[in-house]
Amino acid sequence: MVHIEEGFQAPRDFEGFGEEGFNPQWPNGARIAISFVLNYEEGGERNVLDGDPHSEPYLWEKGASGGHKEGARYLNAEHDYEYGSRVASWRIIRLFKEFGWNFTTYAVGWALKRNPKFAKALVRDGHEIAIHGLRWLDIWDYTMEEEKKYIKENILMCQEASGEMPVGAYYGRGTPNTPLLFPIVWKELGAEFLWSSECYNDDVPYWQDVPWEADLPESEREGILLIPYNYDCNDGKFHMSPGFGSSVGESYEQYLKNTFDCLYREGGKMMNIPLHTRIIGKPGRSEALRKFMLYVKEKPGVWVTTRRDIAKHMRDKFPYKPNGAWLGDSEA
């Protein structure tokens, strides 16, 4: 059963920024910030060779019909994941090099460790490394201490594999305590923590007060910067239901264009484009992604950036102040 630590539960917020909204005032007057996110999980998924009871059933090419094998290897699934690391990872590197753009990598620790050349290439080309779990598994039943140890090992393994200390995190498979544990673990390591994406409830970044700082003097509170993530633009929906309907990349391409057009027209928004190496890196889908990239490249006022640089912008332009006071300098 999951352990709920009451001091690590943020309250729900149904109002957000209201009708007036919040304008992050992107650099150079950009109308929109685009954050491409590469989920790198290949080598961290379930496999009996790693002591798991069954093979990985989730997010591979056969989708819901793929199933899994109990107590045995399932080479079909293994090889789809290996395609992601062996082939698709380099296709994605080449694609972003063509455009001169950088992405954030949600990196599973064991996945990076098992492909060190790719890990080093990510940093070499200026892409950001963020943590995405020590392995690509649910940790729902972990105690607080087990979870802190797990997060710490994840940070250090990604640092060792890539040569870069992560400054941000997204698990998506944690516990209700995970989002507010991140800054504590980073602090225990004496490292800088800039952002978390354990939220899906807005189109702009925002600061959140943390419960355990409530009794501290306001000058000593740090809060936590949240950069919202999403599922609707996620290429994982090729293997999810409801999804993009088929393996045809054009439906995905059009949905990305529709999302971009809305947010670009509104202005002052951020667009997430969540990717998975073994999914978007298939030739037909990567070509659809490239067509979308060509589409937005022709638009003025588009800032394609990493979550690290979004966080640095927010910290510079809207430094944290408790109880929503940080909004005092914003211009809706």
Side-chain angles (χ1 to χ4, degrees):
M1 173 179 281
V2 64
H3 169 71
I4 306 295
E5 188 71 32
E6 292 302 327
F8 283 77
Q9 309 308 307
R12 298 190 70 183
D13 180 357
F14 291 94
E15 295 183 308
F17 297 111
E19 187 174 4
E20 297 78 13
F22 164 63
N23 183 357
Q25 300 176 32
W26 301 126
N28 302 313
R31 291 191 59 80
I32 189 171
I34 297 182
S35 172
F36 290 91
V37 175
L38 181 66
N39 292 264
Y40 189 70
E41 300 153 348
E42 289 81 0
E45 81 279 7
R46 282 170 285 201
N47 190 296
V48 296
L49 297 179
D50 292 322
D52 300 307
H54 59 78
S55 63
E56 180 58 62
Y58 188 51
L59 286 191
W60 64 282
E61 204 63 38
K62 290 190 75 174
S65 66
H68 67 278
K69 305 301 181 188
E70 289 288 342
R73 299 175 66 184
Y74 191 6
L75 297 184
N76 309 48
E78 285 185 21
H79 289 177
D80 195 55
Y81 273 78
E82 288 173 17
Y83 186 94
S85 60
R86 291 164 56 104
V87 181
S89 59
W90 302 111
R91 178 171 289 130
I92 292 164
I93 285 281
R94 292 193 299 271
L95 177 59
F96 278 83
K97 189 174 290 187
E98 174 187 346
F99 286 81
W101 292 347
N102 290 120
F103 55 80
T104 294
T105 309
Y106 287 171
V108 171
W110 273 101
L112 272 195
K113 184 180 178 70
R114 285 171 163 161
N115 196 354
K117 290 183 179 178
F118 181 61
K120 296 293 196 303
L122 289 169
V123 175
R124 177 201 69 201
D125 288 359
H127 305 300
E128 178 188 8
I129 304 290
I131 65 167
H132 190 40
L134 187 62
R135 294 194 60 215
W136 196 51
L137 303 171
D138 289 305
I139 56 171
W140 189 249
D141 59 351
Y142 275 27
T143 67
M144 288 281 284
E145 289 308 311
E146 288 172 334
E147 188 168 3
K148 286 173 68 175
K149 181 175 182 289
Y150 180 87
I151 295 169
K152 187 175 295 185
E153 290 178 357
N154 188 186
I155 296 168
L156 295 176
M157 186 175 288
C158 285
Q159 180 190 29
E160 180 182 3
S162 69
E164 175 179 291
M165 173 60 78
V167 296
Y170 171 78
Y171 272 14
R173 286 185 160 194
T175 75
N177 308 313
T178 303
L180 298 188
L181 266 178
F182 287 138
I184 290 177
V185 176
W186 255 268
K187 185 169 287 189
E188 289 180 355
L189 287 172
E192 181 180 45
F193 178 72
L194 296 184
W195 61 268
S196 167
S197 285
E198 295 283 346
C199 65
Y200 315 85
N201 56 4
D202 218 307
D203 294 318
V204 290
Y206 61 92
W207 286 101
Q208 184 179 77
D209 299 327
V210 293
W212 67 81
E213 292 183 345
D215 295 329
L216 293 176
E218 289 195 1
S219 61
E220 296 179 15
R221 301 182 201 174
E222 299 178 6
I224 185 170
L225 181 65
L226 297 177
I227 302 179
Y229 194 47
N230 73 26
Y231 288 125
D232 67 298
C233 291
N234 196 313
D235 70 350
K237 295 189 75 170
F238 281 110
H239 302 331
M240 296 176 186
S241 180
F244 289 113
S246 74
S247 292
V248 178
E250 279 66 26
S251 57
Y252 173 69
E253 175 192 346
Q254 189 58 55
Y255 189 82
L256 293 184
K257 288 179 177 178
N258 290 348
T259 303
F260 172 84
D261 287 346
C262 175
L263 297 175
Y264 185 75
R265 183 180 66 251
E266 291 179 353
K269 299 292 172 59
M270 181 187 77
M271 180 178 177
N272 290 289
I273 305 176
L275 310 170
H276 294 75
T277 319
R278 63 194 175 278
I279 302 176
I280 202 64
K282 298 292 175 19
R285 298 190 194 113
S286 68
E287 197 63 16
L289 177 63
R290 184 176 181 272
K291 289 177 183 177
F292 169 75
M293 294 166 77
L294 288 168
Y295 178 75
V296 300
K297 183 182 178 182
E298 300 304 316
K299 307 290 185 181
V302 176
W303 184 36
V304 178
T305 189
T306 63
R307 293 169 111 73
R308 174 177 54 204
D309 284 348
I310 289 173
K312 289 179 178 179
H313 168 78
M314 286 292 294
R315 288 170 176 271
D316 178 61
K317 194 73 177 177
F318 302 100
Y320 173 70
K321 298 174 186 176
N323 304 314
W326 63 275
L327 280 166
D329 297 327
S330 68
E331 296 177 6

